[in-house]
Amino acid sequence: MEKINRAILSLGSNIEDRVTYLKRALQQIEEKIGAISQKSSVYQTEAVGFISDVPFYNMCVEVKTTLSPESLLKKTQEIEIGIGRKNKSTKFYESRKIDIDIIFYASRIIQTTALSIPHKHYANRKFVLIPLCELNDSITDPLNTLTVREALVNCSDKSEIKITDIVM
């Protein structure tokens, strides 16, 4: 029997219809990755790293999966492309229909050119930390042993984040 691991994913969209793209991503995650055991609220956030007239909708989910971290990355990228995401750029940020990032995978630490777990920028992004804390504020980063609540307290991101009444 394959081992089931907990993965935490962050989802974001800032191209209309944002709700539709998030819903499609959630459906695809359930079909291709594993059962979603928890979903945060949806938050409206300003773009970070570039200018956009349309704010992002962001959320986090906990998924129970038998996929390896590398297979999980491949599936998230397939979902993004299937929904209409252009290839991810490592040089600059831009608007996107859907973005799915792996934040945590069990208590694993992976640092390769293709994959960084924990996600290398999550602790500097309130749009990840706030929904993550809603899921479980005692999740501990295996790199620095801080909880995500402690990471949020230490976060220097001053961007505005508002909870929405959107139900996923």
Side-chain angles (χ1 to χ4, degrees), residues 28-40:
Q28 294 285 314
I29 288 167
E30 286 267 342
E31 291 172 9
K32 297 179 179 183
I33 293 173
I36 295 173
S37 51
Q38 289 189 83
K39 292 185 271 195
S40 74

Side-chain angles (χ1 to χ4, degrees), residues 20 29 37 44 83 88 102 120 125 135 154 159:
T20 298
I29 288 167
S37 51
Q44 180 174 295
I83 292 174
K88 283 188 178 186
I102 304 168
K120 59 186 171 185
R125 296 175 171 171
L135 290 182
N154 294 335
S159 59

Side-chain angles (χ1 to χ4, degrees), residues 67-160:
L67 296 176
S68 69
E70 296 78 12
S71 295
L72 176 60
L73 175 63
K74 185 177 179 197
K75 289 293 182 191
T76 60
Q77 291 172 340
E78 287 173 7
I79 292 168
E80 289 174 334
I81 291 167
I83 292 174
R85 171 83 189 257
K86 299 175 195 169
N87 287 334
K88 283 188 178 186
S89 169
T90 57
K91 295 182 172 111
F92 60 91
Y93 295 113
E94 61 186 352
S95 293
R96 62 214 66 159
K97 289 182 179 179
I98 195 68
D99 184 39
I100 305 170
D101 288 330
I102 304 168
I103 307 303
F104 293 110
Y105 182 96
S107 57
R108 299 273 306 270
I109 298 171
I110 301 171
Q111 303 292 324
T112 68
T113 55
L115 182 60
S116 291
I117 298 176
H119 189 283
K120 59 186 171 185
H121 300 298
Y122 91 92
N124 301 316
R125 296 175 171 171
K126 284 188 343 188
F127 68 84
V128 175
L129 288 167
I130 290 172
L132 188 53
C133 283
E134 183 184 331
L135 290 182
N136 180 348
D137 66 358
S138 64
I139 295 170
T140 301
D141 184 326
L143 280 173
N144 61 24
T145 68
L146 293 176
T147 66
V148 293
R149 172 63 57 198
E150 292 167 327
L152 179 58
V153 168
N154 294 335
C155 183
S156 61
D157 178 1
K158 302 297 182 213
S159 59
E160 187 175 334

